[in-house]
Amino acid sequence: MKSYHKAQTKIIAINMVICLALILGLVIHSYNNFNFGIAIITLLLIMNGLSFISSIKMKSHIDKVESRLELLEEVLESAPNAVFVHRKLKFTYLNKKAAELFGIENPENIIGKPVEDYVKINLKAVGKERYEACLEGRPFKPMVEKMFFKANGQIIDMEIYDSSIEVNNECYALVICRNVTEQKKIAELKEKINEDERKLREKIEQDKMKDEFFANLSHELRTPLTIILGILQLLEKSNDKIAPVEDERFQMLKHNGYRLLRLVNNLLDITKIDSGYFEMTKKKYNIVTVVEDITASVIDYVDNKDLNIVFDTEVEEKIVSCHVDSIDRIILNLIANAVKFTPNGGSIFVNIYDEAEKVKIIIKDTGIGIKEEDLPYIFERFRQVDKSFTRNHEGSGIGLSIVKALVELQGGTIEVRSEYGKGSEFIIRLPVEEVSVVDMVCATVEGGIGRKQKISIEFSDL
Ligand code: ADP
């Protein structure tokens, strides 16, 4: 800018000389001093040439300065931060972001206005000395603040850089404000996520410990129970005089032993399923035979309750890769529920349908049914429709949740349909396996004592 002023002064001086020379040349010429007039005009032309060169130089200089100014202005205007300059606490420059910060459409509108009309200066943070330096237009040390206080009382999370600058021997204050609200929110969010993660890890650890404790406890409970039941079975076989098997008290002892064992087994299984440690070796079985066998083995129990059980199938063979013990548990549990919730004289139907790539097993009863509003929760753990202490049916409310988990572990699905007062049906779909000639299909399903004990356990709530 200084060289621009020099060039300007030079041109003005040259022009003044030219004007004087022109006047002089004309005066001399009018007094008929021809030669001297020519000399003056030549000088005038030389001077004019010099002036022309100077003005060309100045033009290119002005162009350069102008383009630099434009660039600087563009940089400031498109800066993501609010920038403003004040002298003696009066605005001298604001970029668009600063105008936005103060809620002004046109920055020009507040040039010359007091800064304190828009900013509440925090004297504690700024310090009296700095404030006075600002007010009097003296230089001050730069500083960074963390909060921006607007005159209207609004506080914004901002990083404010404040320093003094000197232009043409005058001191200005330059303020650059960076909005850190988002960053602060992100930082807070990150902290919260970390905290939640820590809590989650703690919860997972606690759950793991709880699962282990349950698994241990269930195991500890099961061992003595199995021994007691084993002795009862031996006594039953030997028909010992000390404990006559026909004795009602003996049967009661056995029955309640099985009930306890069922509960313990269920707790153990649910813990294993939850922790992913449920062992399941799948083999290929003809599911039709498996389900038919299970149904046949419960006929005595069902007859005792004066109920009718009917098995029917649309297909003779459907090969399913499954864990047959789990299939036993599933079907026995559903039939036991059907028996439990069907009044004397009712019927239970076990039907199998061919659905090409799937096999559909339906266990249907003509029992008390389930209210529509209870249906969505029927497979939830510990859910019993009748929660009253005076309810007619025994049970822990985890049977169906285990059934659902076991069906899903075989790659199948289960759904329920029911009409309150008329009956219920549980529909299971299992994926069917392709079998080649060389494939081994397990023919026999465990029967005899093993199945008998399973039935005693599953039917122990009846
Ligand atoms: P529980 O071991 O108590 O029988 P379940 O999980 O097997 O628990 O069953 C949960 C509830 O679902 C039962 O308490 C009963 O209210 C209802 N329920 C299950 N099966 C039937 C059915 N066949 N008919 C009517 N209600 C049923």
Side-chain angles (χ1 to χ4, degrees):
M1 290 304 269
K2 273 179 190 159
S3 51
Y4 162 75
H5 285 300
K6 263 190 197 168
Q8 211 178 24
T9 330
K10 228 166 147 184
I11 288 172
I12 293 169
I14 290 168
N15 279 324
M16 276 170 72
V17 174
I18 292 170
C19 283
L20 280 173
L22 194 66
I23 295 162
L24 202 65
L26 286 173
V27 171
I28 292 168
H29 196 265
S30 59
Y31 283 99
N32 281 335
N33 188 344
F34 188 73
N35 281 342
F36 194 59
I38 291 286
I40 293 288
I41 287 169
T42 312
L43 184 70
L44 177 85
L45 284 172
I46 292 167
M47 298 286 275
N48 204 17
L50 282 174
S51 158
F52 181 67
I53 292 165
S54 257
S55 60
I56 286 178
K57 263 191 185 170
M58 200 179 82
K59 172 132 184 14
S60 90
H61 185 76
I62 288 172
D63 284 351
K64 262 190 209 162
V65 171
E66 265 180 359
S67 69
R68 266 178 68 192
L69 271 176
E70 258 172 43
L71 180 72
L72 274 174
E73 200 174 323
E74 194 51 44
V75 168
L76 280 170
E77 288 307 316
S78 54
N81 302 336
V83 180
F84 61 90
V85 178
H86 60 88
R87 180 167 154 70
K88 295 186 178 174
L89 285 176
K90 295 223 165 83
F91 286 113
T92 56
Y93 170 78
L94 284 102
N95 73 351
K96 266 191 230 144
K97 281 275 166 195
E100 253 174 47
L101 177 66
F102 298 126
I104 289 142
E105 243 173 62
N106 183 5
E108 292 297 320
N109 291 349
I110 61 165
I111 299 295
K113 286 195 180 168
V115 171
E116 281 170 290
D117 283 1
Y118 297 87
V119 183
K120 189 172 181 305
I121 294 173
N122 182 4
L123 263 178
K124 251 192 198 165
V126 172
K128 201 166 166 259
E129 220 173 280
R130 278 178 101 252
Y131 176 75
E132 277 170 4
C134 263
L135 195 65
E136 290 158 18
R138 285 187 281 113
F140 55 86
K141 277 189 188 163
M143 74 172 282
V144 178
E145 281 175 79
K146 289 281 173 205
M147 290 274 187
F148 190 85
F149 300 89
K150 282 175 66 170
N152 63 8
Q154 194 189 349
I155 301 170
I156 308 170
D157 287 312
M158 279 194 155
E159 205 172 78
I160 308 137
Y161 172 76
D162 195 357
S163 83
S164 61
I165 47 169
E166 213 182 294
V167 183
N168 289 337
N169 293 328
E170 290 204 321
C171 187
Y172 293 82
L174 166 73
V175 187
I176 304 170
C177 314
R178 191 165 71 96
N179 197 325
V180 288
T181 317
E182 286 302 310
Q183 279 98 318
K184 210 174 162 186
K185 265 190 205 155
I186 291 170
E188 278 169 10
L189 221 70
K190 266 189 191 160
E191 208 171 292
K192 198 176 171 315
I193 289 171
N194 285 345
E195 177 64 13
D196 286 354
E197 247 176 33
R198 191 187 57 74
K199 280 188 189 157
L200 190 72
R201 271 198 300 274
E202 256 177 41
K203 180 94 186 59
I204 291 171
E205 192 55 33
Q206 274 173 8
D207 278 359
K208 215 176 120 198
M209 276 164 65
K210 205 171 73 193
D211 279 355
E212 274 168 15
F213 170 76
F214 262 111
N216 241 334
L217 186 75
S218 311
H219 191 75
E220 290 301 312
L221 283 168
R222 196 154 77 159
T223 315
L225 254 176
T226 323
I227 296 170
I228 295 169
L229 285 166
I231 294 170
L232 287 179
Q233 264 176 5
L234 277 176
L235 284 173
E236 204 171 18
K237 262 200 225 156
S238 65
N239 214 350
D240 207 303
K241 300 242 167 19
I242 314 163
V245 287
E246 301 82 26
D247 192 318
E248 205 181 306
R249 283 169 301 178
F250 180 90
Q251 289 306 329
M252 214 193 249
L253 196 67
K254 201 177 82 175
H255 177 76
N256 280 292
Y258 279 128
R259 271 189 68 193
L260 213 54
L261 188 60
R262 179 172 186 256
L263 181 66
V264 171
N265 277 348
N266 280 350
L267 282 174
L268 193 60
D269 286 347
I270 212 134
T271 322
K272 281 185 189 165
I273 290 169
D274 280 357
S275 56
Y277 288 120
F278 192 86
E279 272 173 36
M280 191 171 262
T281 332
K282 288 184 189 169
K283 285 186 185 162
K284 286 177 182 162
Y285 285 96
N286 177 7
I287 196 75
V288 182
T289 329
V290 175
V291 177
E292 191 174 5
D293 282 356
I294 302 170
T295 316
S297 59
V298 297
I299 288 178
D300 286 348
Y301 291 83
V302 178
D303 276 352
N304 277 347
K305 239 201 117 184
D306 195 17
L307 292 171
N308 184 28
I309 188 159
V310 184
F311 173 84
D312 194 12
T313 179
E314 205 181 64
V315 58
E316 284 309 314
E317 188 179 84
K318 271 298 198 190
I319 307 302
V320 167
S321 174
C322 62
H323 179 239
V324 81
D325 268 355
S326 297
I327 299 288
D328 267 14
R329 291 276 302 277
I330 295 163
I331 306 294
L332 282 178
N333 195 302
L334 293 178
I335 297 179
N337 272 352
V339 173
K340 206 190 315 184
F341 297 105
T342 307
N344 290 3
S347 297
I348 297 163
F349 304 94
V350 179
N351 293 332
I352 299 182
Y353 298 92
D354 186 1
E355 280 190 344
E357 281 160 22
K358 292 215 167 109
V359 61
K360 183 164 83 175
I361 307 161
I362 296 187
I363 287 128
K364 189 177 169 178
D365 62 60
T366 57
I368 60 169
I370 303 160
K371 284 187 191 147
E372 209 182 323
E373 66 261 31
D374 292 324
L375 280 175
Y377 312 105
I378 212 77
F379 294 106
E380 273 183 21
R381 202 169 293 178
F382 312 119
R383 180 70 71 160
Q384 281 183 320
V385 172
D386 182 2
K387 295 180 201 73
S388 63
F389 286 114
T390 52
R391 63 176 194 256
N392 299 323
H393 309 283
E394 302 294 340
S396 57
I398 48 176
L400 282 181
S401 72
I402 292 182
V403 165
K404 185 170 190 280
L406 291 178
V407 169
E408 283 169 0
L409 281 171
Q410 326 276 325
T413 57
I414 182 163
E415 58 182 296
V416 58
R417 286 195 200 129
S418 186
E419 212 177 318
Y420 190 56
K422 287 205 171 154
S424 316
E425 60 178 314
F426 287 83
I427 304 137
I428 297 169
R429 282 188 175 84
L430 294 174
V432 169
E433 283 283 311
E434 287 273 335
V435 262
S436 65
V437 196
V438 283
D439 261 341
M440 273 282 293
V441 173
C442 303
T444 42
V445 179
E446 156 203 1
I449 296 171
R451 165 72 54 70
K452 241 183 149 183
Q453 199 186 19
K454 275 186 199 165
I455 298 170
S456 302
I457 296 171
E458 287 301 335
F459 281 62
S460 59
D461 279 345
L462 301 182

